[in-house]
Amino acid sequence: MNQVNQANQANQVNQVVPMRPVEDHLADILRTVRVLAPLELDLDQALGTTLAEDVTSPVPLPPFDNSAMDGYAVRAEDVGTAPVTLPVIDDVAAGDGRLHALGPGMAVRIMTGAPMPAGADAVVPVEWTDGGTARVTIGRPVTKGNAIRSAGEDVHSGDVVLPAGTAIGPAQLGILAGVGRRRVLVRPRPRVVVISTGAELAEPGSRLAPGQIWESNSYTLIGAVREAGGEGYRAGIVADDARSFIDQLDAQLVRADAIITSGGVSMGAYEPVKEALAPLGTVRFERVAMQPGMPQGFGVVGEDQVPIFTLPGNPVSSFVSFMLFVRPALRKMQGRPAEPTPTVPAVTGAPLRSPAGKRSYLRGVLGPGGVVTPVLRQGSHQLAALAAANALIVVPEDVTELPEGAAVEVIPL
Ligand code: AMP
Ligand code: MG
C-alpha cells in the first residue's frame, strides 16, 4: 500500500472514531458507578467517610442551663445596686448532680459548665467580685441571663444535627459524640486496587537493570485514592502479557470496589490491559480529547461489575486522568455529589500554548493573588515537574494560545 493510501486510511479511522470530550467520558463513568452500601462504623473509624443517615440529637444541647463562666450565680435584681455583699450559700462545680436552689439575697459560687441553681437568673464573673467564699462583694450589676448557656440554645431535642451526605471531618466527629453517638451509619471508603503494567517497571528500592525504570504510578495513585476518601491497595507490577494481567485482576477483584490500572492501553504492541479487556466487551477503550491522557478506558469487570479505570501509563497522564475521572467516581461511591473535580479561577502568569481540539491540563504553580505560572517542563513523563506543581491549568479545546494575564480555570492539587 502506498503512503498516500495509508494516510487516507488513518484519516478515515480518525473520522470514524472521533475523540470524545472529557465531559462525555466522565458522564459515562458517573452513570455507571454506584453509591456503596452503607456500613455501621465506630466513631474512631469514621473520619473522612460520608454520613448515610440523618443524625438527630436525643437531648437538647446544652442539656441543662449552665454557667458560661467561673463566678457567682445570683438573682440579677439582687445586685442592681452594686456594689453589694451577699452570703455564699454553696459551691457548684461542673458535674455536680445535686439540686441547688437560690433564695433572694444569696449567691452560689459556680464553675464553668456547672448547672444553674434554681432561682438564679444570672452569673457574675469572678473578675467582677472579691472572690469571697463565705461572703462575696460584687462590684457591678449584671443583666438577667448574663453568662448563662441555656438548655437547647445550640440544638433542640430531635433536631437533625447532620444530614445524610455530610462529609465527616473533625468537627462532625465532635457533634456526633456530642449527641451521644458511638456508632454511625456511613458510606465506607471505596477499596481501590491499583495494578501497574509494564515489563520495564522495577520496584522502588531495588536495583535497576538495563532498560528498567522504578515503578511510580501506583504510589501516586494510591496517594490520590486516599486523598479522595478511599483505601488504596497496591497490587504490584504485572509484566506486559495479557494472561498475567487477567490472573492478577481475578485475584484482586474479590477485595475491590474499584480497580485502577496504569499503562498498557496505547496504540503500540504489548498493550496487555487492552488485549485482556477488549474481548470482554464491558470495557470501552477510547481516545479522549485531552492532553495529557488521551488513551482512556473504563468499564466493569467480574460478576460484581466492579468499575475499572484503565489509565495511560505516563506518570503525569495517569495522575491527571485520576483527577478528572477517578476522583469524581470515588466521591459518588461515597455518596457525595456526582460532579467534576472543581476548578477555581486564576490568571496566567505567562503565555500558554495548547493543541487545537484537545483540552490541556498544564502543570502550574498557583501563587498568591490567584496568579498561576506554568512549570517549564510539560512532558507527560516529567514527574519531577508534576511534583513541583500545585495546580492543573485548564485550557479549553478551542484555545491554542493565551497571553500572560488571561483568565483561566485551574484545578488545585
Ligand atoms: P504505556 O502506557 O504502558 O505505554 O506507558 C507509557 C509510559 O509510561 C512508558 O514510558 C512507561 O515506561 C511509563 N510507565 C508506565 N507505567 C508506569 C509506572 N507504573 N510507573 C512509572 N512509569 C510508568
Ligand atoms: Mg506499558
Side-chain angles (χ1 to χ4, degrees):
M1 199 186 306
N2 68 35
Q3 274 179 355
V4 174
N5 273 342
Q6 272 179 9
N8 281 343
Q9 269 205 345
N11 278 338
Q12 275 164 16
V13 169
N14 286 345
Q15 278 159 16
V16 174
V17 189
M19 287 188 291
R20 297 192 74 213
V22 170
E23 279 81 12
D24 291 10
H25 188 58
L26 178 60
D28 281 355
I29 291 168
L30 291 178
R31 243 194 321 274
T32 304
V33 301
R34 300 273 161 258
V35 181
L36 296 180
L39 178 76
E40 202 178 49
L41 284 188
D42 195 273
L43 229 44
D44 290 339
Q45 306 298 316
L47 180 69
T49 62
T50 308
L51 264 183
E53 59 169 327
D54 289 338
V55 173
T56 57
S57 180
V59 295
L61 287 185
F64 47 86
D65 292 349
N66 69 91
S67 180
M69 301 184 84
D70 296 330
Y72 296 84
V74 298
R75 296 168 184 246
E77 62 181 56
D78 291 343
V79 297
T81 57
V84 295
T85 301
L86 302 177
V88 178
I89 59 158
D90 211 345
D91 256 14
V92 209
D96 191 333
R98 296 171 299 161
L99 284 176
H100 296 268
L102 183 87
M106 299 171 189
V108 163
R109 197 154 75 111
I110 194 166
M111 308 307 151
T112 306
M116 286 297 290
D121 61 15
V123 170
V124 180
V126 68
E127 293 84 353
W128 300 1
T129 74
D130 65 356
T133 52
R135 302 164 61 74
V136 61
T137 299
I138 293 169
R140 331 180 2 188
V142 280
T143 49
K144 250 187 186 177
N146 189 65
I148 296 177
R149 303 157 167 172
S150 304
E153 71 178 20
D154 190 15
V155 174
H156 295 123
S157 181
D159 276 358
V160 172
V161 291
L162 297 173
T166 302
I168 302 180
Q172 289 68 35
L173 286 176
I175 185 63
L176 287 165
V179 300
R181 293 298 290 266
R182 185 56 199 256
R183 296 176 70 77
V184 66
L185 198 65
V186 299
R187 302 288 166 188
R189 293 170 212 287
R191 297 163 304 163
V192 183
V193 172
V194 177
I195 305 175
S196 307
T197 70
E200 73 283 24
L201 303 177
E203 291 289 348
S206 70
R207 280 175 73 104
L208 288 182
Q212 287 190 321
I213 58 169
W214 282 303
E215 196 282 313
S216 61
N217 289 352
S218 68
Y219 290 92
T220 307
L221 293 169
I222 280 177
V225 164
R226 291 219 179 110
E227 277 195 353
E231 297 283 2
Y233 302 95
R234 186 171 181 272
I237 300 167
V238 174
D240 284 328
D241 75 281
R243 190 66 254 167
S244 317
F245 174 73
I246 285 283
D247 288 347
Q248 178 64 286
L249 183 61
D250 280 343
Q252 297 297 334
L253 270 177
V254 288
R255 64 164 175 175
D257 297 311
I259 304 263
I260 302 175
T261 67
S262 82
V265 293
S266 341
M267 303 299 167
Y270 313 110
E271 306 289 7
V273 176
K274 219 177 192 175
E275 267 174 52
L277 298 180
L280 301 181
T282 58
V283 181
R284 185 160 150 176
F285 293 94
E286 48 207 350
R287 300 184 315 142
V288 175
M290 62 190 276
Q291 185 172 305
M294 183 178 69
Q296 296 287 335
F298 172 74
V300 293
V301 283
E303 252 173 57
D304 295 335
Q305 309 226 314
V306 175
I308 186 166
F309 301 84
T310 69
L311 308 185
N314 272 309
V316 180
S317 311
S318 67
F319 178 61
V320 169
S321 306
F322 180 95
M323 291 301 290
L324 298 186
F325 304 124
V326 188
R327 185 183 180 278
L330 295 183
R331 291 176 66 83
K332 177 173 177 190
M333 292 168 88
Q334 295 168 76
R336 310 223 179 151
E339 61 195 12
T341 298
T343 61
V344 298
V347 168
T348 177
L352 301 179
R353 292 179 145 279
S354 168
K358 286 185 184 181
R359 191 176 305 175
S360 289
Y361 297 89
L362 301 168
R363 277 67 71 204
V365 176
L366 182 59
V371 175
V372 67
T373 309
V375 300
L376 288 178
R377 288 161 290 137
Q378 293 287 341
S380 58
H381 60 295
Q382 286 172 323
L383 192 49
L386 173 66
N390 63 3
L392 297 174
I393 311 171
V394 186
V395 186
E397 291 78 344
D398 55 351
V399 176
T400 53
E401 278 179 53
L402 282 175
E404 180 183 334
V408 287
E409 290 290 317
V410 304
I411 298 175
L413 299 177

